[in-house]
Amino acid sequence: MAEQSVVVGGARAPVRKPLRIRVLVIDPYPVTRVRVKDTLRGLEIVESVGEKSSSQGVVELLGDIPFNVVMIDDEPSEGDVFDIVKEIRRHPAGQKPVFVLVCKEVNDEVRERGQEAGIRSYLVKPFDLRAMEKALREALVPPDRKSTRLNSSH
């Protein structure tokens, strides 16, 4: 199948497909999972949404389904969320999803521990569609590009 292209200024340029991501939601509360999933489904960038009530079996699931983003609640049913994220990242199952922490507040300690664990973005509760899309897009920007963008804005 030939790659689609368009002519721009006399030259052919490939047509970029819109970003479509797969998101895994990990939250111990069914009501919250449903709210997060419903909000995610309202975003054009989201292709599909999976869910788990705990981090048990996430490594295996990531080996079976290539999720791009894992959204995890800051109060999991088992253990410390930062330790859980580190453990999931330690066992890449053929892919390396990025992590968004869904939390009540973000302070210096949360940011420090989150950075150490490998969390890329934060979504503060209560949230709306715009806040969720912003958190997802921020998570998808590689850390080295974030610092370049921040430094170039001065």
Side-chain angles (χ1 to χ4, degrees):
M1 181 182 225
E3 182 179 295
Q4 291 184 339
S5 62
V6 294
V7 177
V8 179
R12 276 209 181 276
V15 174
R16 288 188 175 195
K17 291 183 178 180
L19 176 67
R20 301 285 291 170
I21 61 173
R22 289 172 299 283
V23 182
L24 175 62
V25 177
I26 304 172
D27 194 296
Y29 302 103
V31 172
T32 307
R33 283 196 312 273
V34 167
R35 181 163 185 263
V36 171
K37 286 177 11 183
D38 287 349
T39 305
L40 284 166
R41 288 186 178 123
L43 296 172
E44 286 185 28
I45 66 169
V46 176
E47 178 180 300
S48 63
V49 181
E51 70 174 289
K52 295 229 8 114
S53 61
S54 77
S55 63
Q56 301 295 322
V58 167
V59 171
E60 294 79 13
L61 180 62
L62 291 172
D64 295 337
I65 302 171
F67 288 102
N68 308 95
V69 178
V70 174
M71 298 186 78
I72 187 166
D73 188 77
D74 65 337
E75 295 180 343
S77 57
E78 73 295 339
D80 176 79
V81 69
F82 302 106
D83 291 338
I84 291 168
V85 170
K86 285 180 197 176
E87 185 63 26
I88 294 170
R89 292 185 75 232
R90 212 173 283 141
H91 299 288
Q95 61 164 325
K96 294 200 177 208
V98 295
F99 288 82
V100 175
L101 182 65
V102 182
C103 51
K104 292 182 196 84
E105 69 173 316
V106 179
N107 56 36
D108 291 341
E109 179 187 0
V110 169
R111 284 193 188 280
E112 185 177 315
R113 293 193 68 207
Q115 183 176 7
E116 183 182 297
I119 292 170
R120 287 260 191 98
S121 183
Y122 303 86
L123 178 62
V124 178
K125 302 175 205 175
F127 52 82
D128 60 13
L129 191 67
R130 271 175 95 181
M132 184 171 286
E133 183 170 28
K134 181 180 179 206
L136 288 171
R137 289 191 182 276
E138 187 176 286
L140 294 167
V141 175
D144 56 331
R145 290 194 48 213
K146 281 184 188 178
S147 61
T148 304
R149 280 191 359 202
L150 293 175
N151 292 336
S152 65
S153 66
H154 288 111

